[in-house]
Amino acid sequence: MADKEFTLDELKQYDGQNGNKAYVAIDGVVYDMTDVEPWKGGKHHGNVAGQDLSEVIPHAPHKKSVLPKLPVVGKLVK
């Protein structure tokens, strides 16, 4: 796992808009969604990058099955 730590405020900067990278946090782990085609533009099925999606992921059709395929860039800290 990458060593970088993100607060929620820092994570918000990675919204996938205007050339920013698209990061999301799930269960304290921050994933880079920038090169994931369905996340192009920082949005995917009504979800927006730059947020903690821990509460959302259990309701997604793929649940957490996609997470091992994603690049980890750090962890979310309180």
Side-chain angles (χ1 to χ4, degrees), residues 25-75:
I26 297 169
D27 298 336
V29 179
V30 179
Y31 297 91
D32 185 348
M33 311 304 278
T34 307
D35 296 326
V36 178
E37 191 62 33
W39 274 92
K40 203 143 193 82
K43 296 185 173 126
H44 178 55
H45 293 299
N47 298 306
V48 180
Q51 298 182 13
D52 183 350
L53 299 180
S54 300
E55 301 293 318
V56 176
I57 192 89
H59 305 287
H62 50 67
K63 309 259 189 279
K64 296 181 182 178
S65 67
V66 297
L67 299 183
K69 303 173 194 166
L70 300 171
V72 172
V73 291
K75 61 184 177 179

Side-chain angles (χ1 to χ4, degrees), residues 1 4-12 24-30 50-54 73-78:
M1 181 185 295
K4 180 136 177 61
E5 293 184 344
F6 296 86
T7 64
L8 271 176
D9 276 344
E10 290 170 327
L11 186 63
K12 287 177 188 171
V24 299
I26 297 169
D27 298 336
V29 179
V30 179
Q51 298 182 13
D52 183 350
L53 299 180
S54 300
V73 291
K75 61 184 177 179
L76 188 65
V77 294
K78 301 286 180 209

